[in-house]
Amino acid sequence: SLFLINNTIIMLKQFIIKISCYFLIFSLILGCKKDEASPPDPILGNWQVYSISGDGETIVWDELKETLVSLIPEYDCMAWTVSITEELVTTNIVLPDYDSNSCDAAEVTIWTWERTKDSNEYTFTKGLIEVSIYNITVSGNQMTWTDQFDGAITIWNKIEQ
C-alpha cells in the first residue's frame, strides 16, 4: 500500500508537471501573438487648406490667392498647409506683406495631438496651456476641422506625394 501511495504521488507530480508545461507553452504562444496593427489615423499626411468658414462667411483659399496674385503677382508665394505625423501637427502659413508687395516669413506652429478614443474629437496642444479641440472628419482626400470653441470650419485637401 505504501508502494501504491508513492506511485500515485509520482503520477500526480508528473501530471502537474505536464499540465504546467502545456500551460506555459500555451501562454507563450498567446503572448507571442502579434497584435493586429490598427489602421493609421486618417488625418496623417500633408494637407493644403481649401476653405475657411466662420461668422457666416466662407473664404476659398485658391480664389483669394488668385484674386490677390492677379493684382500683385509677388503674392504667388502665399501658402497654407498642415503636416500631420503620429506625434505632431505642423501648420505653415505664408501671408502677404502689404507694405512690401511680397510675402511675410512663414508662420509655423507646432502642436502635439491626441484623439479621444472611438470618436472624431482631437485635442491639439501647444506648450502647457494653449489647447484647441477639433471634431475632425476625413472623407476621401478631404479633411474637415470643426473648432469646438468657436465653430469655425476649415476644409483641407490632401497633397498627393
Side-chain angles (χ1 to χ4, degrees):
S1 116
L2 185 58
F3 177 75
L4 186 58
I5 293 175
N6 279 340
N7 273 348
T8 306
I9 291 175
I10 291 173
M11 285 178 27
L12 186 59
K13 282 183 180 180
Q14 288 175 344
F15 178 75
I16 290 172
I17 290 172
K18 283 183 182 178
I19 292 293
S20 297
C21 286
Y22 288 129
F23 180 73
L24 179 63
I25 291 170
F26 183 72
S27 297
L28 287 173
I29 290 171
L30 285 180
C32 291
K33 182 181 174 187
K34 293 187 178 185
D35 292 333
E36 291 183 24
S38 57
D41 198 290
I43 72 169
L44 298 179
N46 297 309
W47 304 83
Q48 180 176 333
V49 73
Y50 172 75
S51 67
I52 316 126
S53 300
D55 296 328
E57 187 177 351
T58 298
I59 298 170
V60 177
W61 180 260
D62 284 345
E63 292 174 7
L64 171 66
K65 181 176 176 179
E66 186 178 309
T67 300
L68 291 173
V69 168
S70 70
L71 298 170
I72 301 170
E74 291 81 8
Y75 287 173
D76 192 44
C77 54
M78 290 174 53
W80 189 356
T81 59
V82 65
S83 177
I84 305 173
T85 66
E86 294 282 349
E87 298 170 359
L88 300 175
V89 174
T90 305
T91 58
N92 184 352
I93 303 172
V94 178
L95 296 173
D97 177 358
Y98 300 109
D99 295 328
S100 69
N101 288 345
S102 64
C103 287
D104 283 332
E107 180 181 322
V108 177
T109 307
I110 300 173
W111 309 78
T112 58
W113 68 274
E114 181 177 37
R115 181 178 188 173
T116 303
K117 188 176 179 159
D118 298 326
S119 80
N120 289 332
E121 187 174 279
Y122 293 77
T123 303
F124 293 6
T125 307
K126 183 171 73 171
L128 299 174
I129 300 171
E130 193 169 343
V131 174
S132 293
I133 300 174
Y134 296 96
N135 183 292
I136 300 177
T137 57
V138 176
S139 178
N141 286 332
Q142 199 163 67
M143 173 172 63
T144 303
W145 293 6
T146 304
D147 190 306
Q148 297 301 292
F149 294 120
D150 64 11
I153 296 172
T154 307
I155 297 175
W156 303 87
N157 288 327
K158 191 149 201 172
I159 300 171
E160 298 302 322
Q161 299 293 327

